[in-house]
Amino acid sequence: VCLLGHSGCGKTTLLRIAAGVEAPSAGRVLMDRMEVSGPAAFVPPERRGVGLMFQDYALFPHLTVLENVMFGLRDLPPREAETAARRAIARVGLERAGEDYPHTLSGGEQQRIALARSIAPRPGVLLMDEPFSNLDRRMRDAIRDETVAILRETGATTIVVTHDPEEAMKIADRIVLMQSGRIVQEGSAEAIYRQPVDIFAARFFCDFNEVEGVSRGGRVDTPVGLFPAPDLADGASAVVCIRPQGVRLAGAGFCLPGRLLSRRFLGEVDLVQVAVQGLENPLQARVRGPLPARPGEDVGVEIDPAEVLVFAAGHS
């Protein structure tokens, strides 16, 4: 499960409450249907069977890798603790680093050691607070994929805090989207992306072209066309949200007339801006394949209705 939202929305606070590091001011926390925080009981963190992994890894610099991983196994006899720690270190692919100190390891290796320390006690629940944010992008993708594979092997329920919607979509079975201390929407990545409950949820997953219009007869009339809005009352102001990949370009004289303003090559796609009469801001489009015109020339614009969402205005 990914807790997703902007900084300050309450993700880390919720994680700390689940861990028992903070007590809730109201409500209850249940684990396997047993109350661990609430009016009836408060189970301390060390008795919850919960593993914690923080953004900064929190490794002890004066302890070796092996000693760091053994730190959470102090209830076991020393020989059993060492065996379990070495098994966890091997699982993250760093069995040769057991006698090294954290400062001699790369950021990605430190992250893997922090993961080994978290999973060594075999927790029923693992809580991870932005565990990949300190890694550069290429390393982050590789380490994240390795981590998810290991977590699926362990079978532990895992809750990950992130502010990155793409990261949440890549790793989560279920996303919990938060705003200002409340849950806005929860569900699979595809469900939230395709059927956001409001414009906040929609914007979180995509940089839309937003076009204002007015609802008439169950449709919203805009400079780029008519779009279904069966739930809006007649005369209601609306915002039509068009995904950049939903803007298609054709040769001049076809579809809606526009002018190609700029093009940026991004590898798999071109990011282009198109001016359309009646719109204050140009449309942003992500186009695959050859463009029908050069910047400064006229083009035809078509909107894919499958890439359009309509919301009542003022509900941001």
Side-chain angles (χ1 to χ4, degrees):
V1 178
C2 272
L3 301 181
L4 176 65
H6 296 299
S7 296
C9 74
K11 307 182 299 294
T12 297
T13 299
L14 187 56
L15 204 72
R16 290 170 64 85
I17 288 173
V21 179
E22 291 187 21
S25 55
R28 301 187 301 157
V29 178
L30 306 181
M31 291 185 64
D32 290 332
R33 300 179 184 175
M34 184 183 78
E35 185 174 307
V36 294
S37 287
F42 184 83
V43 178
E46 63 272 16
R47 289 180 47 213
R48 292 193 181 191
V50 170
L52 284 170
M53 185 171 166
F54 298 102
Q55 184 176 347
D56 59 2
Y57 316 141
L59 298 175
F60 298 111
H62 62 289
L63 300 182
T64 66
V65 163
L66 179 62
E67 291 167 340
N68 264 283
V69 178
M70 288 177 63
F71 187 82
L73 301 170
R74 289 170 294 177
D75 291 341
L76 297 178
R79 186 168 292 180
E80 288 183 34
E82 181 176 343
T83 299
R86 290 193 183 279
R87 188 184 304 121
I89 294 170
R91 178 171 262 176
V92 299
L94 289 172
E95 53 266 59
R96 295 181 181 177
E99 312 313 317
D100 296 335
Y101 286 87
H103 74 271
T104 67
L105 306 179
S106 70
E109 289 170 335
Q110 290 184 39
Q111 197 270 358
R112 286 151 71 184
I113 293 303
L115 175 64
R117 186 180 61 185
S118 299
I119 64 175
R122 301 192 175 186
V125 178
L126 182 59
L127 307 176
M128 308 175 78
D129 190 1
E130 305 227 21
F132 312 110
S133 61
N134 285 342
L135 304 174
D136 66 65
R137 181 167 183 172
R138 181 166 293 183
M139 182 183 291
R140 182 166 66 238
D141 289 345
I143 297 294
R144 182 175 57 213
D145 291 347
E146 291 175 14
T147 300
V148 171
I150 292 167
L151 293 174
R152 293 200 185 282
E153 285 178 23
T154 66
T157 296
T158 306
I159 302 176
V160 181
V161 162
T162 182
H163 63 272
D164 182 348
E166 185 174 326
E167 180 168 89
M169 295 175 84
K170 283 181 176 178
I171 67 177
D173 300 305
R174 185 157 54 99
I175 294 172
V176 176
L177 180 62
M178 298 181 64
Q179 181 189 26
S180 303
R182 66 184 182 92
I183 293 173
V184 175
Q185 187 172 2
E186 60 178 299
S188 68
E190 185 171 2
I192 298 179
Y193 180 86
R194 298 199 181 281
Q195 298 169 322
V197 295
D198 59 21
I199 198 168
F200 169 81
R203 286 171 176 161
F204 208 94
F205 287 89
C206 184
D207 292 325
F208 286 100
N209 296 288
E210 297 186 15
V211 181
E212 296 180 354
V214 176
S215 175
R216 302 285 184 202
R219 298 189 299 177
V220 177
D221 189 6
T222 76
V224 291
L226 289 167
F227 300 95
D231 298 329
L232 296 186
D234 271 13
S237 297
V239 179
V240 176
C241 298
I242 304 167
R243 294 190 177 101
Q245 63 268 32
V247 180
R248 297 172 178 171
L249 302 185
F254 294 92
C255 312
L256 181 74
R259 176 160 294 179
L260 188 61
L261 298 179
S262 66
R263 166 198 180 246
R264 288 192 179 276
F265 176 72
L266 299 182
E268 294 183 4
V269 298
D270 286 317
L271 181 63
V272 301
Q273 289 189 324
V274 185
V276 174
Q277 188 172 1
L279 291 185
E280 184 176 341
N281 298 314
L283 291 176
Q284 306 275 351
R286 299 176 74 91
V287 180
R288 294 180 182 271
L291 294 173
R294 297 177 180 176
E297 296 179 347
D298 291 341
V299 291
V301 178
E302 185 179 16
I303 306 298
D304 180 359
E307 300 292 350
V308 176
L309 298 169
V310 179
F311 298 97
H315 288 199
S316 57

